Amino acid sequence: MTPPRLNRRLSLERPVRTPDGAGGFAPGWQPVGTVWAEIRPRSGREADGAPGALSLQACRIVMPAAPVGSPRRPAPDHRFREGPRVFVVLAVTEMDPGGRYLICEAREEVIA
């Protein structure tokens, strides 16, 4: 197995609900930390979205492992951010039997 090239600095964010002052909640994002990772592009497609056409790019994000239950371990409701780019985490699993790296199946959505 070739070790991943951890050459991308990504911010990991988790969803939060903030009171909106009218009895409800507004969705938002809270930074959890920064990780060095490798982004491996996969297939892409176009889809219809609320603001118009969306370009959906599937990718694999490989990063150093974090134990189950750790706030630094991504979960399917989290996302990665690299500047204006956002990668929604869909699934997380260990890359190797030793558990040194995690694979995060993710999707980048861009308004086309």
Side-chain angles (χ1 to χ4, degrees), residues 1 11-12 27 48 59 70 73 86 88 94 101-102 106 109-110 112:
M1 175 182 69
S11 174
L12 177 61
D48 291 327
C59 61
S70 167
R73 184 182 176 105
V86 174
V88 178
E94 286 79 18
Y101 299 101
L102 296 176
E109 299 178 353
V110 178

Side-chain angles (χ1 to χ4, degrees), residues 19-42:
D20 64 6
F25 292 92
W29 295 93
Q30 178 182 37
V32 175
T34 302
V35 299
W36 285 96
E38 175 183 71
I39 299 176
R40 298 177 180 174
R42 302 188 58 148

Side-chain angles (χ1 to χ4, degrees), residues 48-66:
D48 291 327
L54 288 176
S55 171
L56 304 175
Q57 173 68 50
C59 61
R60 276 195 173 147
I61 297 176
V62 181
M63 61 174 277

Side-chain angles (χ1 to χ4, degrees), residues 10-15 29 32 35 37 39 57-63 71-81 85-93 102-109:
L10 305 177
S11 174
L12 177 61
E13 301 176 339
R14 71 177 181 89
W29 295 93
V32 175
V35 299
I39 299 176
Q57 173 68 50
C59 61
R60 276 195 173 147
I61 297 176
V62 181
M63 61 174 277
R72 295 190 55 86
R73 184 182 176 105
D77 60 346
H78 292 178
R79 70 184 190 179
F80 290 102
R81 179 179 289 280
R85 299 176 72 185
V86 174
F87 303 89
V88 178
V89 177
L90 305 174
V92 179
T93 189
L102 296 176
I103 294 176
C104 302
E105 297 293 341
R107 179 182 63 229
E108 181 181 18
E109 299 178 353

